Amino acid sequence: MSLTAIVFMGTVWTLIIGMAVYTLRQVLKHSK
Amino acid sequence: MSQRENWGSKIGLILAMAGNAVGLGNFWRYPYQAAKNGGGAFMLPYFAALLIIGIPIMLVEWSQGRYGGKYGHGTIGPMVYLQARERAKPRNAIIIGSIAGAIAFGVTILVNSYYNHLIGWTLGYSFLSLTGGYMDTAKSTGEVFVNYIQSPTLVMTFWVISLIALSFAVMRGIQKGIEAWAKLMMPILYVFGFILVIRALTVGSPVNPDWSPLSGLDFLWTPHWENLNWTSVLAAAGQIFFTLSLGMGIIQNYASYLKPDDDIVLSSITMISLNEFAEIILGGTIVIPITYAFLGPQGLSSGVGLSFISLPNIFRTMAGGQIFGALWFLLLFFAGFTSAIAMYNYLTALLEENLGLARKKATWVIFAVYIIVGLPVGLEAILTETDTLAYFTEVDNWIGNYFLVVLGLIEVLVAGWLFGGRFLDEVNRGSYWKIPTWYYHLFVKFITPAAILIILIFSTKTYWDVGYLRWIPSFVENTPVLVPWVIAARLVLIGVLTFGFFQSYVSIKKNYGEELRQNRILVQK
């Protein structure tokens, strides 16, 4: 894989996984 | 009006909404759209469309649904009417509401007319995977697919089984039906997705040393600015509508079961995150790397056949192919099922709301409707002995390019310009995160509607140029046997829209007759 592809994919994956985990944790926190 | 049901838990709501959005679009449509439109060149407009169109319309749809639910509505006509009447007079608002209601009616009836078949195919292919039905290499997987869609027994059996399962899910209501099924199916879907991602990334280079799963990811994630063109921009915007289930009325329908002060902003962003996780991380890392590793860059050009023709071909040669094939098609089945429930529930709510039918009875009426509208889709390949599926293609073209986009445009214009400042109050009420005023002014009022308008203009130009808008569209001009199927599709589209318009008009008039007579707002909650 080229460096550009690794950076692009890495950034997007981090953002999506980060958002999914963070928002789900917020939802669970507010569900209590 | 009878008491409407509510969601049982926040996590149940999120999973049901995610199930609504995560559909065949994430795993079947997204990989071939990304591959067809240049891989990396597709990803840039995709994320732009997500930010500019996807997120703002999603917020509009959630708030429109919750607002409508407060008045006892689960369908789009009255929901749009309620917001539009704030600045347009009730007699103008009823026209806007009826147009919006007609489109949502058309989408929920007609998309499911073929979507239910696709779900049936995925269930059928799960069965074929487990029983080794496409493992015989004497027959190409293309032939296996054509034989499948031309086999009355296979097509009808798995279609009807899927429809019956859908009916039972909807019949049980929101908490015991839709929410319970989503809580079961969505975690399984993500687990299957993870297993398949791991398998896809570990297949090595079985055919050619240059073809590896990582080369597939490289193709998808290297931004090719030189390939960026209007076609990829339009495809990306279209994908955003499909993947998030926007412009269908089904997000509003689910949101109508929220309590008036339930959170909207955090819940909708969570749902989008889960959808993008399924699409980009799971959808993008299963089909493209695995296809690239076995079939190389050429294999990615097989378009819609990627899932039903190319992948079975790979499962034949792969170690544990039958099991991974079954996991793949069951994943598609779960994804499609939890989205089809939403369309089914929209129409069930419509009957409950307008005819006062009990849920059970309404569910069986819609079952019969889906059988009727689904028959042309199932019978076309069997009767014409072709595999073009012209009726399905024509209905899908009009819905994908116009219905969803026009309804999205109406919704955002109504929320931004007719509901006015109340939109912000409504969306922020009870929300854990707040939408800032600048976001509403910049996106909901200007950028999002302008972007949708540009997409509509350019997609019309594109379709005009390639001949899709002719009386006899270009894709059937050399196959006269299919022309009547295209004409039938257009007549059905017109008929369903007309019926939907009058149905929505009558529904609004029945509920707000007095305020329409006086042409001023009388009912306010």
Side-chain angles (χ1 to χ4, degrees), chain A residues 1-2 5 8 12-13 19 23, chain B residues 47 214 218 221 269-270 285:
Chain A
M1 272 179 89
S2 68
F8 188 22
V12 172
W13 275 43
M19 278 300 286
T23 51
Chain B
F47 289 114
L214 289 185
D218 194 54
W221 290 100
I269 301 294
T270 309
T285 318

Side-chain angles (χ1 to χ4, degrees), chain A residues 1-2 4-5 8-9 12-13 16-17 19-20 22-24 26-28 30-31, chain B residues 10 43-44 47 214 218 221-223 266 269-270 273-274 277 280-281 285 432-433:
Chain A
M1 272 179 89
S2 68
T4 324
F8 188 22
M9 186 178 116
V12 172
W13 275 43
I16 292 175
I17 295 171
M19 278 300 286
Y22 179 69
T23 51
L24 265 178
Q26 289 288 311
V27 167
L28 291 172
H30 288 292
S31 302
Chain B
K10 206 158 268 322
M43 299 309 287
L44 300 164
F47 289 114
L214 289 185
D218 194 54
W221 290 100
T222 304
L266 173 62
I269 301 294
T270 309
S273 306
L274 288 176
F277 188 91
I280 307 291
I281 295 180
T285 318
Y432 305 123
W433 296 354

